[in-house]
Amino acid sequence: MNIGITVYPTYGGSGIVGSELGRDLAERGHNVHFISSVLPTRVTELNERVQFHEVEMMSYALFEHQPYDLALATKMATVARAEKLDLLHVHYAIPHSISAILARESIKQKMYVPVITTLHGTDITLVGADRSYLPITRYGLQQSDGVTAVSKFLKQATIETFDFDDIEVIPNFICPLHYTRTPDSPLKGELAPNGERLLVHVSNFRAVKRPADCVEIMAGVKAAGKAARLIFVGDGPELSAVRYRAEQMGIKGDVTFVGKQANIADYLGIADVFLLPSELESFGLAALEAQACEVPVVATRIGGIPEVVGDGETGFLSDVGDVTKMTADTLRLLGDEEMRRNFGERGRRNAVERYSTEKIIPQYIAFYERVVKKAKAAAAA
Ligand code: GMT
């Protein structure tokens, strides 16, 4: 198939999922065309099966904000015709599904390019639910030829907010070969020079991730006399507040900020406990990646996380903001090597058996085939 994929290229899990899906589809013999403002960070290689089409935008003094959505729609339509795309698959509803629908409608006299929208989380639960975007998001769902959501939770949230239920749940995925435990990595010695245990948090440091809760947990671990270090991977708006909190709590020296990293697996592969104290998480991709690396997860019991992390099985779940319990859970894991190993092994099994690329990518392909077939049948009628 010839597949157009649009993602937010630089920021967040939806971009990772869309990019890695494209890479895997290309490895399976499909032609993938990424259409976005810049090359998505996870797309590291372009070749005859993986191409990139940059959305160009003219700037003009009259535009207070550049109309990216329209430039994107124009590029989608151009690429769809030039490359004879079988479908456009957009990740994150706003504005991508609207641009894709516009593109589809603008060329429908010449060809019909079906639009598939994958919902990732805040496009439904936060941004899409805000009254400034709600009607257009509902329109995007209704007009898409197919809609998928990354968790059962997100499907249910979409039904409740948008009264729209024609949604296929296709969960996020990991490549089991890429996400593995790497206990002998030299990075371990660099980050924990005295053999300390490593608590790792990976996110885009937005308020919804509550990264400052990790600082509270680390402070509790230190107060309990456990030798550990907290590693923050990623960057985002809350980062300076987190640094300040660490300073305030007197644990600045126990925390390392490594910033954005191209290869998250380097850090997860040596972690002892993964912390994800988010306020909202439709799936929690980082928790899945951690489990694939045999790392127990301490997280919140919200959104799609309970679908991914087994409480008492592969990690421990708490109410949002309950740092006392999250600290106790972290200490429990740090103090019990066997529990850590058992949780880690079960986590790896859970990730590989339920969420490996082998399992999930064929679900996307089957969905594409169904949507394309239905669109062709409708066009013929
Ligand atoms: O977090 C967002 O605002 C959007 C999105 C992103 O691009 O990071 O995150 C969502 O998609 C991820 C990939 O499907 C999920 O793993 C995250 O749980 C989800 N974030 C939220 O629901 C807050």
Side-chain angles (χ1 to χ4, degrees), residues 80-204:
R81 289 198 63 195
E83 304 293 342
K84 299 187 174 43
L85 294 187
D86 292 297
L87 60 100
L88 284 165
H89 185 181
V90 301
H91 292 262
Y92 208 83
I94 307 164
H96 298 154
S97 63
I98 303 303
S99 298
I101 289 158
L102 208 52
R104 182 190 70 197
E105 295 305 305
S106 72
I107 57 171
K108 77 171 175 209
Q109 307 299 347
K110 308 276 182 202
M111 69 180 282
Y112 188 86
V113 59
V115 172
I116 293 177
T117 299
T118 288
L119 308 173
H120 280 272
T122 49
D123 45 355
I124 291 301
T125 54
L126 221 83
V127 188
D130 186 89
R131 66 192 164 95
S132 52
Y133 293 112
L134 194 143
I136 199 78
T137 304
R138 180 185 284 125
Y139 177 80
L141 297 171
Q142 290 167 343
Q143 293 296 316
S144 290
D145 297 271
V147 176
T148 78
V150 297
S151 64
K152 291 184 206 146
F153 158 80
L154 190 56
K155 174 172 177 167
Q156 191 52 36
T158 311
I159 294 171
E160 282 162 22
T161 310
F162 297 94
D163 195 21
F164 178 89
D165 68 354
D166 192 4
I167 301 167
E168 178 102 349
V169 175
I170 304 182
N172 289 331
F173 52 86
I174 45 94
C175 170
L177 299 177
H178 184 67
Y179 288 94
T180 56
R181 188 117 205 97
T182 50
D184 300 328
S185 159
L187 191 60
K188 178 113 187 168
E190 282 169 37
L191 294 172
N194 305 309
E196 298 95 332
R197 295 282 166 222
L198 289 178
L199 313 181
V200 173
H201 171 78
V202 181
S203 79
N204 47 19

Side-chain angles (χ1 to χ4, degrees), residues 219-272:
V221 166
K222 188 175 183 186
K226 205 84 204 155
R229 295 191 57 75
L230 173 58
I231 313 299
F232 279 115
V233 185
D235 198 356
E238 289 295 302
L239 194 71
S240 46
V242 172
R243 275 186 203 279
Y244 182 65
R245 190 83 192 112
E247 217 170 298
Q248 257 186 338
M249 299 203 71
I251 59 159
K252 202 175 126 198
D254 306 292
V255 181
T256 304
F257 295 88
V258 297
K260 274 191 187 173
Q261 292 295 323
N263 194 9
I264 303 298
D266 289 345
Y267 294 86
L268 295 175
I270 56 170
D272 293 292

